[in-house]
Amino acid sequence: MEFFPWAVTAAILLVGCWVQTALGFGMAVIAAPVVVMVEPEWVPVVLTITALNLSLLNSWNQRTAIEMHQLRIPFITRIPGTILGTWLLLQLNAFWLQIFVASTVLLAVLISFKGPQFQYTPARLGVAAFVSGITGTTTSIGGPPMALVMQHGAPMTVRANLSVFFVYSCALSLIGYWLADILTLELLLVSLTFVPFCLLGFFTGKQARPYVDAGRFRPLLLVICGFAGAFALVGTLSRA
């Protein structure tokens, strides 16, 4: 393991964990485009393990705001999304897969920005969870579909529900990686070295929640999703 890729990954994971703790999602959105350039084999497994650790911390910290009844259908529809995502990860050309994911995120942001306000229902969350299963398993970026559907909810509740969903999602994705022989002991050990940065991002990110909740939740959500989609699209096209 070379120091430079590790140091860059540690730094960007720290930033990503800080953002996800403050906003509710965003770790993989921020980290994946950088990590895939410095150490491609760490995507998506190392990011998924880090996301699992962070989501466990956030779920426990915000346990009083969790609405489990909203997550029953998403928990079910995430399973076929994970299966399809694992198959795509093994079968499809990475270039077109990344183009599809980036374009989908950008389209969702555009629709959310221009479209009318709507309530997030179990059915809408179920569709988002299926898409999240595909994008999360293939690229580790599974937050935007769920976050975009939840964008008009109360920030505290959205953060709590996303955290629980991410715990479940990451566990499913890791099972898929294991069955597909993508999850290795080496990647597990590498992931452990990033735990201190995950913890630091969590404890400092909690302090930023009042700032995010003061009328900035939805704008920040849309900006981060838009940034992720644009960065991934430009990065993929530049490597073509």
Side-chain angles (χ1 to χ4, degrees):
M1 183 169 59
E2 296 182 7
F3 176 75
F4 177 74
W6 179 88
V8 171
T9 300
I12 199 64
L13 284 177
L14 172 60
V15 175
C17 289
W18 183 89
V19 169
Q20 180 153 323
T21 299
L23 186 61
F25 85 109
M27 188 280 290
V29 166
I30 291 172
V34 176
V35 179
V36 79
M37 289 188 291
V38 298
E39 199 68 51
E41 59 266 31
W42 289 353
V43 179
V45 175
V46 171
L47 295 184
T48 302
I49 294 174
T50 302
L52 174 60
N53 293 331
L54 181 65
S55 299
L56 286 168
L57 291 169
N58 279 316
S59 294
W60 177 254
N61 177 250
Q62 301 168 105
R63 59 193 180 277
T64 58
I66 296 170
E67 296 178 334
M68 287 302 299
H69 66 280
Q70 293 280 4
L71 298 173
R72 291 168 187 162
I73 293 178
F75 277 4
I76 295 172
T77 58
R78 218 291 186 172
I79 295 173
T82 301
I83 295 171
L84 180 56
T86 302
W87 180 82
L88 289 172
L89 188 62
L90 294 173
Q91 302 294 328
L92 292 188
N93 180 284
F95 172 81
W96 289 110
L97 185 60
Q98 291 169 6
I99 290 291
F100 171 74
V101 171
S103 300
T104 301
V105 171
L106 287 174
L107 180 61
V109 170
L110 180 63
I111 293 172
S112 298
F113 183 74
K114 294 292 186 180
Q117 179 173 338
F118 57 86
Q119 295 296 320
Y120 66 90
T121 63
R124 287 172 177 156
L125 287 173
V127 175
F130 175 76
V131 177
S132 176
I134 298 172
T135 62
T137 304
T138 54
T139 67
S140 76
I141 302 177
M146 292 292 290
L148 288 169
V149 171
M150 292 183 177
Q151 63 182 285
H152 295 290
M156 184 176 179
T157 301
V158 173
R159 275 196 299 264
N161 287 348
L162 282 175
S163 296
V164 173
F165 179 77
F166 290 152
V167 170
Y168 176 77
S169 298
C170 291
L172 281 181
S173 293
L174 289 172
I175 291 172
Y177 301 151
W178 175 66
L179 293 174
D181 290 327
I182 300 172
L183 181 62
T184 65
L185 178 59
E186 179 183 354
L187 289 175
L188 285 172
L189 294 176
V190 169
S191 301
L192 290 177
T193 67
F194 298 121
V195 169
F197 302 94
C198 174
L199 292 171
L200 182 59
F202 167 71
F203 285 114
T204 55
K206 288 193 300 180
Q207 311 307 314
R209 286 175 183 165
Y211 173 83
V212 170
D213 293 353
R216 302 180 180 93
F217 178 75
R218 184 170 180 263
L220 286 172
L221 184 152
L222 293 176
V223 166
I224 289 178
C225 286
F227 167 80
F231 192 98
L233 186 60
V234 172
T236 302
L237 292 173
S238 67
R239 295 193 300 271

